Amino acid sequence: MAACVRFVMPMPAYFTAFPAFFRPFSKAFHRPWHPLVLLLVLALWLTTLGNVPLWRTLWALTDSHGLRTGLGLLAMGVIVFTATTVLLCLLVWPRWRKPVGVALLMVAAANSYFMSAYGVVIDPSMMANTVQTDVREVRDLLSGSMGVVLMLGVVLPGVWWWRQPVQEWPAMRLLGRQLGLALLALVLMMAVIWASFQDLASTMRNHKSLRYMVNPFNTVYASGRLLVGQTTQARMSLQPMGEDAAVVSLGAAGAPPLIVLVVGETVRAANFGLAGYARDTTPQLRQLQTSGELTYFSNVRSCGTNTQVSVPCMFSHLGREAQAKNDIPYENLLDVLQRAGMQVLWLDNQSGCKGVCDRVPNSSTLTLKDPKLCPDGECYDEILLRVLPERLAELEKTRPPGKAQVGTVVVLHQMGNHGPAYYKRTPADMKLYQPECRTNVLQDCPAQEIVNAYDNAVHYTDHFLGQTVRWLKTQTRPTAMLYVSDHGESLGEKGLYLHGMPYMMAPPEQTHVPMALWLSKSFQSQRGWDGACLQKQANQALSHDHYFHSVLSLAQVKTRWQKTELDFFAACKGPAA
């Protein structure tokens, strides 16, 4: 025992000197940070780990990774670092230093995850989509891998950032030093841009998506654009439309029609059976087409690459290019139809109508409790047909006594193929293609399983549209159905998933959408339209720009806002029109 004591006793004396060697470093480590040095540490983090998707994309742009590529990446790194330093010098001040730093870490980590996982970029339309999202959409995006990214990119560095002591400086002295650092960083950035301008300009010109990949500037720019646009519109009064709108008298054949406009969600023409896809994902629509009852329009382009842009644009008179530049709030197609005396109803199984239905009767499926059609609090699209008769009856009760019924327009806004959880959009008994991807982390699934899940949802949309036509056939008045998807979807082509790419660089999978028209015989007779003529229009180049004007024609509403050249029914109107 004594021997053991003699052996152990000298140990503490030996080791007490060891920490003493590191004591100066320990004091230095716990010494308060110079505020500008701490800013540079945050700028370095955001430039490197906060921009991994950017650096990976730039690295992949060239096959040869020689000296010139390395110098180009270094120059880009210096530019991003100095620009980030300027931004932080302007944003990060003592009173809100810690929360702003954590917020920037969160923005960079979230952006990096979505850009890496789905190939999206952060632009103003994507930011608008984010603001407009609902709980269901957020839930579909959550995953374990996202949790890991947020832990490594936000929680751990955020805790470190929050706990760091910082030297207290007089306000005016800190102001001068921080603005001086910003100026120095700006001068260095301009010098590097000048030295590497030729290569930099060529890269940015040929790969425009890169400008939306730089964290956190993409979010700052997109948020600023969105805020300015919303503020401008909020200051302006809503511009009325269709004061002259009226339904054309149909004489003896004037039974009030029922028109159903189905706004599809995230269905691309590339996987639509009627568009020539290898799989017959639209058997019910094909049967209607074969019998001569349905017209499929094969060459239709969307107004945008996300719902937030496309849906308001579809119902606007402006068209895609004018809508993108417009800051004036106008009424829309539904307002014009309602002003013409038609009853208008919007039924929504999505995240809302994006302002389109604000002034007409509308209803959402969010609160419905149907054990078969709404499992887990999320409804399949057939729920829209389940509630439609009841909502129409309620709408009819609102018609003033003695006022003649001139027609009804119903908009059914689908959940459709909303991703990334495509497997959730299809009931268990309608999963035709197996195996399907059953996760919202698409990059974890084989490509074919993603396509299977997506095609199952397209097949279910075909079923829903077939059910809609069958219901319309039971009505005693003339009926019509016009279906068009709001935008398309990328399923991994060129590393892209989902949608939302800026329109000028979006692949055709995100902009080429299906559109189909079904008319009852009594509706065709009432309008005097030649079915064979409609088939001749099926291959014409069309877009969402035609929607406003063509639906007015479908409803027989006349107004000065309608443009005949954008009415794809104009060539087929018979004497009755």
Side-chain angles (χ1 to χ4, degrees):
M1 186 68 178
C4 290
V5 172
R6 282 194 298 270
F7 178 75
V8 172
M9 288 298 289
M11 296 284 285
Y14 174 79
F15 279 102
T16 52
F18 191 72
F21 175 78
F22 290 98
R23 201 165 294 147
F25 298 95
S26 176
K27 289 181 179 179
F29 183 76
H30 291 289
R31 189 178 298 147
W33 285 85
H34 189 294
L36 299 187
V37 174
L38 194 60
L39 279 189
L40 292 174
V41 171
L42 180 58
L44 184 61
W45 175 280
L46 294 174
T47 300
T48 54
L49 297 176
N51 271 290
V52 169
L54 172 66
W55 306 126
R56 194 162 58 191
T57 301
L58 283 170
W59 182 259
L61 290 181
T62 177
D63 295 329
S64 58
H65 299 112
L67 178 61
R68 184 163 184 170
T69 301
L71 291 175
L73 283 172
L74 178 61
M76 189 66 178
V78 172
I79 291 169
V80 174
F81 175 72
T82 51
T84 304
T85 300
V86 173
L87 179 67
L88 295 183
C89 285
L90 298 177
L91 288 182
V92 181
W93 298 94
R95 184 172 295 181
W96 54 82
R97 176 188 291 119
K98 292 181 178 180
V100 169
V102 172
L104 290 172
L105 290 172
M106 186 175 298
V107 165
N111 287 354
S112 293
Y113 172 76
F114 287 113
M115 286 190 288
S116 296
Y118 301 115
V120 301
V121 294
I122 312 301
D123 69 333
S125 64
M126 182 63 70
M127 185 58 62
N129 242 10
T130 302
V131 172
Q132 292 284 336
T133 193
D134 62 11
V135 175
R136 293 180 298 180
E137 292 180 339
V138 171
R139 188 172 59 222
D140 284 348
L141 292 171
L142 299 178
S143 65
S145 57
M146 183 179 182
V148 171
V149 170
L150 293 180
M151 174 62 73
L152 297 177
V154 181
V155 177
L156 296 181
V159 169
W160 181 88
W161 172 264
W162 200 275
R163 290 171 61 88
Q164 297 312 299
V166 186
Q167 297 174 12
E168 295 291 337
W169 280 42
M172 294 307 296
R173 184 182 177 194
L174 179 60
L175 174 64
R177 295 291 179 87
Q178 202 154 310
L179 292 180
L181 177 61
L183 180 61
L184 179 62
L186 183 62
V187 170
L188 178 58
M189 180 181 68
M190 298 304 296
V192 175
I193 290 176
W194 179 82
S196 59
F197 182 78
Q198 184 175 350
D199 289 344
L200 182 65
S202 176
T203 300
M204 300 303 290
R205 183 170 56 250
N206 295 328
H207 306 279
K208 295 180 180 179
S209 61
L210 292 173
R211 68 187 69 178
Y212 301 113
M213 296 184 69
V214 185
N215 284 322
F217 296 95
N218 45 14
T219 298
V220 172
Y221 169 74
S223 300
R225 279 283 303 274
L226 181 63
L227 182 61
V228 169
Q230 290 180 342
T231 303
T232 302
Q233 288 210 349
R235 290 201 194 106
M236 305 184 70
S237 58
L238 184 68
Q239 303 299 303
M241 291 184 62
E243 298 94 332
D244 62 334
V247 176
V248 175
S249 174
L250 298 174
L258 171 60
I259 300 169
V260 173
L261 305 175
V262 181
V263 178
E265 170 64 31
T266 320
V267 178
R268 66 187 203 175
N271 289 56
F272 213 69
L274 290 183
Y277 185 44
R279 286 174 167 174
D280 190 9
T281 53
T282 55
Q284 296 193 35
L285 294 182
R286 185 175 298 281
Q287 186 177 1
L288 291 170
Q289 183 189 46
T290 302
S291 65
E293 299 177 66
L294 181 134
T295 302
Y296 177 72
F297 298 89
S298 61
N299 191 9
V300 181
R301 292 294 183 273
S302 66
C303 193
T305 60
N306 59 63
T307 306
Q308 175 65 28
V309 172
S310 278
V311 169
C313 185
M314 285 170 60
F315 288 84
S316 168
H317 68 291
L318 292 170
R320 182 179 67 82
E321 293 184 2
Q323 179 81 353
K325 302 173 184 176
N326 178 61
D327 289 325
I328 302 173
Y330 283 96
E331 290 182 342
N332 59 62
L333 172 62
L334 300 187
D335 296 295
V336 176
L337 294 172
Q338 187 168 249
R339 190 163 279 127
M342 302 194 77
Q343 293 182 306
V344 180
L345 174 66
W346 181 290
L347 297 182
D348 204 286
N349 193 34
Q350 248 275 4
S351 58
C353 65
K354 314 307 178 187
V356 172
C357 65
D358 287 353
R359 294 167 298 279
V360 303
N362 60 83
S363 178
S364 173
T365 63
L366 278 174
T367 59
L368 298 181
K369 308 293 183 184
D370 187 301
K372 181 180 179 182
L373 294 179
C374 302
D376 304 321
E378 194 170 301
C379 296
Y380 298 120
D381 285 327
E382 284 179 272
I383 194 68
L384 295 169
L385 297 178
R386 180 71 60 85
V387 302
L388 178 56
E390 181 182 350
R391 297 294 184 269
L392 283 175
E394 294 172 355
L395 186 66
E396 182 63 24
K397 291 177 183 178
T398 64
R399 183 161 57 91
K403 184 177 181 180
Q405 164 69 286
V406 296
T408 304
V409 175
V410 176
V411 183
L412 304 180
H413 190 196
Q414 287 186 268
M415 177 59 79
N417 279 52
H418 196 285
Y422 306 122
Y423 69 97
K424 290 185 177 181
R425 314 298 170 229
T426 313
D429 59 349
M430 295 204 67
K431 294 186 180 296
L432 182 63
Y433 306 106
Q434 295 290 345
E436 68 171 2
C437 179
R438 297 191 60 81
T439 175
N440 55 1
V441 187
L442 296 180
Q443 63 272 26
D444 289 350
C445 287
Q448 190 56 53
E449 291 186 14
I450 298 173
V451 173
N452 287 346
Y454 186 86
D455 285 352
N456 283 333
V458 176
H459 187 259
Y460 180 66
T461 285
D462 172 73
H463 169 76
F464 170 73
L465 296 176
Q467 291 284 84
T468 303
V469 169
R470 277 190 283 277
W471 180 81
L472 287 173
K473 286 183 175 180
T474 66
Q475 305 304 299
T476 57
R477 50 178 169 164
T479 54
M481 180 194 76
L482 178 62
Y483 164 81
V484 64
S485 181
D486 61 348
H487 55 79
E489 186 86 328
S490 289
L491 299 179
E493 299 88 2
K494 299 179 181 177
L496 297 179
Y497 294 91
L498 303 183
H499 52 267
M501 288 293 289
Y503 199 90
M504 61 182 175
M505 61 188 73
E509 291 84 4
Q510 295 188 24
T511 59
H512 186 195
V513 295
M515 184 168 75
L517 171 72
W518 175 86
L519 305 175
S520 68
K521 294 188 184 309
S522 59
F523 193 98
Q524 291 188 53
S525 176
Q526 184 186 76
R527 296 293 188 266
W529 291 353
D530 182 358
C533 180
L534 288 175
Q535 292 294 340
K536 291 179 182 178
Q537 309 305 311
N539 296 323
Q540 298 294 318
L542 303 174
S543 72
H544 283 167
D545 290 5
H546 293 77
Y547 194 79
F548 175 95
H549 311 277
S550 301
V551 171
L552 286 177
S553 189
L554 191 65
Q556 289 294 88
V557 170
K558 291 292 185 182
T559 174
R560 67 182 179 86
W561 297 91
Q562 187 182 30
K563 296 180 180 178
T564 304
E565 65 271 20
L566 293 176
D567 173 13
F568 54 73
F569 295 115
C572 301
K573 292 180 179 179

